[in-house]
Amino acid sequence: HKGLLPRNRGRHAIATAFDQNWSVTGVTVHEILPAIDGGPLLAQERLQIGVEDDYDSIRFKTDVLGADLVEEVLETYHARGKVPSTPQNDELSTYYDPRTPADSRIEWANESSQICKLVSAARDDFSAYTYLDGTKISIHDCAVFDEYDGSFTQNTAPGTILEAEPESESLLVTTGSGTLVVTNYSHDENLNIPLGASFH
């Protein structure tokens, strides 16, 4: 399981970690029972979510970490004939519902890092999105931009487009904590994105 059971049960564990803006996730090897992800724990290891991580990088890291843990569990079983287990505390369990399209809408008043994590999480099922003059724009990649201090944007509404580079398809946008650079976006219409316009 790509999470730290008993917290974050279910098939959306990686996306949930980004949605909830967690800095730590992990991998758990557990016995299979009828209850979803409810079996006794056989092995578990934590994994930091760095500022450079996105959904794809954490999926890869948990794949590698999970394979190593399964190998350790199997080696223990072959050596001892059994694997020590720890029952889960169901009182600590959490389960997050599957994502919906509404979960992927960007709130520009949030912190830049939180928005970027939402963009990363949204790759799982739905692209993160925003609107400009009624046109839906999907945001596929972004990064925190910290070359401007807070005073530069303190009187600018979150979601305001400060810079636009059509050739590189990059945008500099204000957030609740400063600015971020959108490095990959798409839309269905031939849309001009003027400076000073605001996403909403």
Side-chain angles (χ1 to χ4, degrees):
H1 177 76
K2 297 185 176 185
L4 296 172
L5 296 177
R7 187 173 74 161
N8 203 6
R9 293 176 176 175
R11 61 181 293 264
H12 301 275
I14 296 178
T16 297
F18 282 101
D19 278 346
Q20 300 298 317
N21 204 27
W22 292 340
S23 60
V24 177
T25 184
V27 175
T28 303
V29 179
H30 62 94
E31 294 182 24
I32 302 298
L33 295 180
I36 296 176
D37 295 326
L41 308 179
L42 303 178
Q44 189 173 77
E45 190 164 335
R46 295 161 63 90
L47 177 68
Q48 289 290 134
I49 301 176
V51 294
E52 76 287 352
D53 280 313
D54 58 20
Y55 180 91
D56 292 332
S57 70
I58 291 299
R59 182 174 60 180
F60 175 77
K61 291 177 182 179
T62 52
D63 281 344
V64 173
L65 181 58
D68 290 342
L69 286 181
V70 168
E71 184 176 3
E72 291 177 13
V73 168
L74 291 176
E75 288 177 350
T76 299
Y77 176 78
H78 287 303
R80 304 180 184 178
K82 63 178 181 179
V83 180
S85 63
T86 303
Q88 292 191 48
N89 184 346
D90 290 336
E91 293 183 358
L92 300 178
S93 68
T94 56
Y95 180 89
Y96 294 86
D97 292 330
R99 296 178 58 81
T100 67
D103 294 326
S104 297
R105 183 164 184 174
I106 295 173
E107 296 291 342
W108 293 100
N110 289 338
E111 294 185 357
S112 299
S113 60
Q114 186 175 353
I115 293 172
C116 288
K117 286 189 175 182
L118 170 66
V119 171
S120 297
R123 293 177 183 175
D124 186 21
D125 296 304
F126 308 99
S127 293
Y129 68 93
T130 187
Y131 285 95
L132 179 64
D133 295 332
T135 298
K136 183 178 179 179
I137 298 177
S138 297
I139 307 295
H140 306 295
D141 284 295
C142 66
V144 176
F145 188 82
D146 55 10
E147 292 187 19
Y148 296 144
D149 60 27
S151 62
F152 182 83
T153 60
Q154 64 182 358
N155 295 320
T156 306
T160 301
I161 301 164
L162 300 178
E163 296 180 13
E165 295 290 342
E167 293 185 0
S168 61
E169 292 191 341
S170 65
L171 305 169
L172 186 64
V173 187
T174 58
T175 69
S177 64
T179 55
L180 62 77
V181 58
V182 175
T183 53
N184 187 0
Y185 62 93
S186 62
H187 47 80
D188 295 332
E189 301 180 21
N190 184 16
L191 181 67
N192 178 41
I193 301 181
L195 299 183
S198 294
F199 289 132
H200 58 85

